[in-house]
């Protein structure tokens, strides 16, 4: 019974992990059709924000929930103004530009902090489930992932800003004709997507440690989740993360982490072969 409960908790944590990794990318790629190849480095920047601010005496929770989203969101706005705004509608060019940005960020951070793993202690300690010890921080990840998706859904569904953002992404010419300043909408959307990514990186930092190349470990999972989910930001991320996370973690328990990652990739390939437009392109067509 205890072992079953631990497995269930780990599977839910794996789903929450993918949801956090993919949420910011779902906004930037899913809504804006910008292939942000520096997504992993935005996660890394959120992690370093927590490490640096905690080392200077800032409360760890404030660093995770406030500073990291603000720092990475502001950085995202700068990237959009200086680079991305010239590349809308040019998918290949945006891929190459953000790939170059990722290399620049990795090199710059390595020069400053070195190539060693740094981190912060995992908050809250552990708890016992029978003979097993699990970190209480797992529950923070799970609830944070749920709350994040609920907030994104509520903003897109019920606020004027969300309506304007969706209208601009679907038909920018008509939105411009109606007097909507689309360039500012694009800037704000990219900045919010970056802030969400920074928040995810900050949440994951206590569990993974932080190193300049950490983004390489996460970007594949992020893109696989978003592409498998399809066009719908919320439903796509939730359905893909739920399915892929469960398959990956289940295989990890049976065979090991290497086969778990392979199972995630294989499941994504099968789903995309059966559903080329993603899960929400076929099953939840009108979902948000």
């Amino acid at each position: 019974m205890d072992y079953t409960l631990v497995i269930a908790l780990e599977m839910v944590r794996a789903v929450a992990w993918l949801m956090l990794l993919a949420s910011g990318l779902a906004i930037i790629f899913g809504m804006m059709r910008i292939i942000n190849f520096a997504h992993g480095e935005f996660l890394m920047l959120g992690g370093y924000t927590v490490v640096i601010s905690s080392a200077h005496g800032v409360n760890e929770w404030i660093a995770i929930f406030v500073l990291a989203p603000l720092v990475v969101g502001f950085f995202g706005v700068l990237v959009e103004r200086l680079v991305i705004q010239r590349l809308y509608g040019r998918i290949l060019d945006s891929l190459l530009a953000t790939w170059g940005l990722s290399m620049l960020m990795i090199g710059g951070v390595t020069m400053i902090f070195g190539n060693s793993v740094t981190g912060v202690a995992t908050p809250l300690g552990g708890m016992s489930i029978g003979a097993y010890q699990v970190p209480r921080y797992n529950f923070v990840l799970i609830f944070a992932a749920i709350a994040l998706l609920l907030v994104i859904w509520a903003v897109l569904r019920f606020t004027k800003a969300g309506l304007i953002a969706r209208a601009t992404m679907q038909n920018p010419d008509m939105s411009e004709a109606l007097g909507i300043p689309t360039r500012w909408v694009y800037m704000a959307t990219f900045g919010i997507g970056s802030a969400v990514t920074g928040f995810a990186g900050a949440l994951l930092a206590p569990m993974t440690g932080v190193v300049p190349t950490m983004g390489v470990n996460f970007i594949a999972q992020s893109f696989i989740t978003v592409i498998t989910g399809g066009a719908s930001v919320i439903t796509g991320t939730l359905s893909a993360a739920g399915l892929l996370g469960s398959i990956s973690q289940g295989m990890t328990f049976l065979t090991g982490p290497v086969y778990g990652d392979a199972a995630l990739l294989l499941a994504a390939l099968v789903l995309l072969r059966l559903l080329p437009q993603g899960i929400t392109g076929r099953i939840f067509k009108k979902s948000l």
Side-chain angles (χ1 to χ4, degrees):
M1 179 64 182
D2 294 336
Y3 183 65
T4 303
L5 187 58
V6 171
I7 291 177
L9 178 60
E10 285 298 308
M11 293 184 75
V12 174
R13 183 197 60 80
V15 172
W17 183 289
L18 285 182
M19 287 166 57
L20 289 169
L21 287 179
S23 294
L25 188 64
I27 295 173
I28 292 174
F29 177 66
M31 290 182 65
M32 304 177 68
R33 291 303 168 199
I34 291 292
I35 301 178
N36 182 17
F37 221 71
H39 175 73
E41 284 60 55
F42 281 43
L43 290 165
M44 175 263 290
L45 187 59
Y48 270 108
T49 301
V50 174
V51 170
I52 295 170
S53 55
S54 297
H56 286 80
V58 178
N59 180 272
E60 190 171 345
W61 297 110
I62 294 177
I64 291 174
F65 286 91
V66 179
L67 290 183
L70 288 177
V71 169
V72 183
F74 179 72
F75 180 76
V77 169
L78 290 179
V79 170
E80 197 279 338
R81 288 292 87 190
L82 297 175
V83 181
I84 302 298
Q85 69 165 329
R86 298 170 173 82
L87 303 175
Y88 291 121
R90 298 158 57 185
I91 294 180
L92 182 59
D93 291 344
S94 68
L95 186 153
L96 293 174
T98 53
W99 176 73
L101 176 64
S102 73
M103 295 296 101
L104 180 64
M105 292 177 68
I106 291 172
V109 173
T110 302
M111 289 176 60
I112 297 172
F113 297 104
N115 201 29
S116 58
V117 178
T118 56
V120 292
T122 303
L124 303 179
M127 61 177 290
S128 298
I129 300 180
Y132 303 95
Q133 283 283 330
V134 296
R136 288 192 178 93
Y137 192 69
N138 284 349
F139 296 99
V140 175
L141 288 182
I142 293 168
F143 290 125
I146 295 171
L148 180 61
L149 282 190
L150 285 175
V151 168
I152 296 172
W153 173 76
V155 170
L156 292 176
R157 178 68 176 82
F158 297 112
T159 67
K160 183 178 179 181
L163 178 62
I164 290 173
R166 286 189 288 143
T168 300
M169 302 310 157
Q170 292 175 10
N171 196 331
D173 293 334
M174 180 61 73
S175 299
E176 190 75 39
L178 293 173
I180 295 174
T182 55
R183 63 191 297 264
W184 298 111
V185 175
Y186 278 112
M187 182 189 73
T189 304
F190 194 92
I192 291 171
S194 301
V196 169
T197 302
F199 174 59
L203 277 170
L204 299 178
M207 299 193 70
T208 64
V210 184
V211 67
T213 56
M214 65 179 286
V216 177
N217 301 321
F218 299 136
I219 190 168
Q221 295 179 4
S222 304
F223 270 102
I224 287 171
T225 303
V226 172
I227 293 171
T228 304
S232 299
V233 175
I234 305 301
T235 310
T237 302
L238 182 59
S239 58
L243 183 59
L244 298 178
S246 299
I247 292 172
S248 175
Q249 192 62 36
M251 186 60 69
T252 297
F253 271 110
L254 292 174
T255 59
V258 174
Y259 288 100
D261 291 340
L264 184 149
L265 177 59
L266 180 60
L269 290 174
V270 172
L271 281 172
L272 290 175
R273 180 66 180 87
L274 298 174
L275 306 171
Q277 295 181 327
I279 296 173
T280 56
R282 176 68 66 87
I283 300 176
F284 306 107
K285 290 184 178 180
K286 296 185 178 180
S287 58
L288 185 61

